[in-house]
Amino acid sequence: MSDIEFIGMIQAQKVSEIHPARGPAIDRDYVRAFAQAHEQAGFDRVLVPHHSTSPDATLTVAYAASVTERIRFMLAHRPGFVSPTLAARQFASLDQFSGGRLGVHYISGGSDDEQKRDGDWLDHDQRYARTDEYLEVLRKVWTAEKPFDHEGPHYRFKDAFSEVKPVQTLNGRPHVPVYFGGASEAAIPVAGKHADVYALWGESLAQARELTGRVRAEAARHGRQVRFSVSFRPILAETEAKAWERADGILAETRRLRVVQGFGRGGPLQSEGAKRLLAAAEQGTRLDKRLWTAVAQEIGGRSNSTALVGTPEQVADALLDYHALGVTTFLIRGFDPLEDAIDYGRELIPRTRELVAQRVAAQRQAA
């Protein structure tokens, strides 16, 4: 496996904090161009997000996989709305049809209101307990050689089985990589038990060091090791001054559109990740070398909304600081989604890979 992984994000239409959604909810030509642009730019994987009002992410991945050849996918999936036995067969089937290119990011849900749109009335901590059982059932379905029964707090099955197994394996057993997020006290034990990759939003270095340490300790209790992913919104330009000028323009447009759309400052306040981004923003809009929190503060910490601002070389150097904490995956997406993905492929991705390769080589030589 490579010492570093880059993940992008594709959506079914052009939309971001500075680009309001227009036209049909699904723009097939845009999805095709978006997915292919990430593949050509050198990304390893792309996230397809989930929202209670958005197009189905599983079908979006299936279409994007059909128009690409190499790039892998990270399907955002909320446990609880589909039976885990059915989800296991869906994911195994999609892994087969895509040639082993699927990963799944399990989102237990950070907002009661968001969950209720699809009929889920469990509270925050109950959702993480359900995810724990959900992932246990998925693993059983993928690896079972004969039908099995299951009875737990949330699910009960008799003779559960799947004829289709994933292409990918873990320790010789069928497996689809498990990406997982959640920084609450209810989430960390689930992460330590199940996550292959633990994903956190673009926090400060101090916050990231603390959170990854907690997850490592929890994983160690199960005799496991977890990889880590951090998400950023890089804002690049040929000079640092121009990059900050661009950042100021993004903030101004974000504020303008939120006024037009009737939004104030707010966000999924039940989300511990959102609270952590807002806590970082309270320390200042510019933290560490390149971290910019102004948009996160403006939109209430919603989603991965912190940026790294500077030239490609400066931002690559900032990413290296997170790599020193043990982060090996970076989810990067821009405020100009398609255009930024192409731009990241020109200098930021290859430059970061080069810096990481130099560091790893030096560490191996020293060892």
Side-chain angles (χ1 to χ4, degrees), residues 168-217:
Q168 300 172 85
T169 60
L170 178 66
N171 298 325
R173 308 184 76 188
H175 182 72
V176 173
V178 173
Y179 290 75
F180 184 88
S184 67
E185 291 300 321
I188 299 299
V190 184
K193 186 176 179 181
H194 295 287
D196 298 312
V197 180
Y198 177 83
L200 56 153
W201 287 342
E203 303 181 347
S204 69
L205 288 166
Q207 287 176 308
R209 183 181 297 108
E210 180 269 338
L211 184 52
T212 56
R214 286 165 57 199
V215 174
R216 277 196 187 94

Side-chain angles (χ1 to χ4, degrees), residues 292-344:
W292 186 55
T293 66
V295 171
Q297 188 175 49
E298 183 66 28
I299 66 175
R302 187 186 300 272
S303 186
N304 57 313
S305 45
T306 51
L308 295 174
V309 183
T311 66
E313 293 79 10
Q314 289 172 327
V315 172
D317 181 64
L319 291 176
L320 202 66
D321 291 338
Y322 288 88
H323 184 266
L325 298 180
V327 174
T328 55
T329 294
F330 294 105
L331 195 160
I332 56 172
R333 64 185 182 100
F335 291 95
D336 292 305
L338 174 56
E339 296 81 1
D340 283 337
I342 296 170
D343 192 34
Y344 296 155

Side-chain angles (χ1 to χ4, degrees), residues 196-355:
D196 298 312
V197 180
Y198 177 83
L200 56 153
W201 287 342
E203 303 181 347
S204 69
L205 288 166
Q207 287 176 308
R209 183 181 297 108
E210 180 269 338
L211 184 52
T212 56
R214 286 165 57 199
V215 174
R216 277 196 187 94
E218 189 63 37
R221 293 181 62 245
H222 299 279
R224 305 182 66 249
Q225 292 184 333
V226 179
R227 303 195 310 277
F228 293 98
S229 171
V230 177
S231 302
F232 293 109
R233 311 286 293 277
I235 299 173
L236 307 179
E238 58 187 13
T239 67
E240 182 177 1
K242 288 183 178 179
W244 284 113
E245 182 179 332
R246 186 181 171 208
D248 290 339
I250 288 170
L251 179 60
E253 182 65 4
T254 298
R255 286 174 171 165
R256 186 190 73 80
L257 285 177
R258 289 183 71 78
V259 170
V260 169
Q261 295 164 349
F263 296 139
R265 288 190 176 184
L269 297 182
Q270 290 175 303
S271 165
E272 189 65 25
K275 293 176 183 178
R276 291 174 68 90
L277 288 194
L278 291 177
E282 289 174 359
Q283 299 176 36
T285 57
R286 300 188 185 188
L287 303 176
D288 299 326
K289 290 179 180 175
R290 303 272 136 217
L291 187 64
W292 186 55
T293 66
V295 171
Q297 188 175 49
E298 183 66 28
I299 66 175
R302 187 186 300 272
S303 186
N304 57 313
S305 45
T306 51
L308 295 174
V309 183
T311 66
E313 293 79 10
Q314 289 172 327
V315 172
D317 181 64
L319 291 176
L320 202 66
D321 291 338
Y322 288 88
H323 184 266
L325 298 180
V327 174
T328 55
T329 294
F330 294 105
L331 195 160
I332 56 172
R333 64 185 182 100
F335 291 95
D336 292 305
L338 174 56
E339 296 81 1
D340 283 337
I342 296 170
D343 192 34
Y344 296 155
R346 292 192 182 101
E347 293 185 68
L348 178 60
I349 291 177
R351 179 58 177 157
T352 307
R353 290 193 194 281
E354 179 184 358
L355 290 175

Side-chain angles (χ1 to χ4, degrees), residues 111-128:
S111 165
D112 287 350
D113 291 340
E114 172 78 2
Q115 297 294 119
K116 289 173 183 176
R117 290 193 180 107
D118 279 321
D120 182 19
W121 294 83
L122 296 186
D123 67 28
H124 176 276
D125 289 2
Q126 289 172 332
R127 292 195 290 269
Y128 279 100

